[in-house]
Amino acid sequence: MLGIMRGYVRAIEAMNRAIGRCAMYLVFALMGVLLWSSASKTFFDPSLWTLETAQFVMVAYYILGGPYSIQLGSNVRMDLFYGDWSLRTKAWVDSVTVLFLMFYLGVLFYGAVSSTAYSLGHFGTEPFAFFGDLFWAFVSGGPDAAAEQMGYLERSSTAWRPFIWPVKVILCLGVLLMLLQALAELFKDIDRLRTGEA
């Protein structure tokens, strides 16, 4: 593997390993929220915030753990023929399927960025330009200038009405990390095919 590719794979895998392990601890936060929800329904007035909080924590747990799952190869695979193939054939199949995964994640990332921009009050067609303008406003004028760039902030339609953009930002980050991990997997598959150590 080329030095730059090896460095990329090591850096991405170390980052996704650390984030994935931290995301695993969100299960404890989720358990706490669900326990409080049950207790409040039984002994007190039901808490309004528990449903959305549980959903937000669950999204963060799954989406931030996804890249680490790809790295470990613990994603779901329907194995009718794959187990019987040679290691080289498996490397070929994996390199092709990871290209499909990257296309899917690219489309998903664009949709997540568009949805996040909408949650921050951007109703146009260029979400990346909106975030560029938002970043430039923050750099040149600080938080107040960036706040002026945003319009109506989307809220949940429930009684608690939390802001939606934080969970959408986590979604963007998780999909981006999965895309970067998929590229690392492609580099590893190409190296296995090149060296014959599939």
Side-chain angles (χ1 to χ4, degrees):
M1 187 180 307
L2 297 174
I4 191 165
M5 290 168 63
R6 186 179 299 112
Y8 172 83
V9 169
R10 286 181 181 162
I12 291 299
E13 287 192 342
M15 178 178 61
N16 283 335
R17 189 177 310 113
I19 292 171
R21 288 179 177 172
C22 289
M24 286 189 285
Y25 292 113
L26 289 173
V27 168
F28 297 109
L30 180 59
M31 285 183 345
V33 170
L34 294 176
L35 284 172
W36 175 258
S37 176
S38 296
S40 69
K41 287 177 186 173
T42 304
F43 301 111
F44 316 111
D45 290 329
S47 300
L48 292 176
W49 57 270
T50 55
L51 177 63
E52 280 92 3
T53 303
Q55 290 172 341
F56 290 177
V57 170
M58 215 177 307
V59 166
Y61 170 71
Y62 283 112
I63 201 75
L64 294 177
Y68 190 44
S69 175
I70 293 171
Q71 179 182 334
L72 294 177
S74 59
N75 47 315
V76 176
R77 179 191 332 244
M78 188 170 169
D79 188 0
L80 297 176
F81 309 106
Y82 187 85
D84 297 329
W85 290 339
S86 69
L87 295 175
R88 187 167 182 78
T89 303
K90 288 179 184 179
W92 271 108
V93 170
D94 289 344
S95 62
V96 170
T97 56
V98 82
L99 290 173
F100 286 108
L101 176 63
M102 290 174 69
F103 173 76
Y104 169 75
L105 290 172
V107 172
L108 188 61
F109 180 68
Y110 182 81
V113 169
S114 299
S115 183
T116 304
Y118 177 83
S119 291
L120 293 173
H122 175 70
F123 305 114
T125 57
E126 294 296 330
F128 290 102
F130 167 73
F131 283 111
D133 294 343
L134 189 63
F135 175 76
W136 181 248
F138 181 79
V139 168
S140 62
D144 292 335
E148 289 178 12
Q149 288 286 96
M150 294 186 283
Y152 169 79
L153 298 178
E154 183 183 15
R155 290 180 174 269
S156 170
S157 59
T158 61
W160 185 41
R161 297 189 37 79
F163 289 114
I164 299 295
W165 67 265
V167 75
K168 289 187 178 181
V169 168
I170 290 172
L171 179 65
C172 290
L173 176 64
V175 173
L176 178 62
L177 292 174
M178 279 192 268
L179 190 54
L180 296 175
Q181 183 63 47
L183 182 59
E185 296 302 313
L186 179 63
F187 288 161
K188 290 192 293 187
D189 291 332
I190 290 170
D191 186 60
R192 286 187 204 116
L193 289 168
R194 187 183 61 81
T195 61
E197 298 174 1

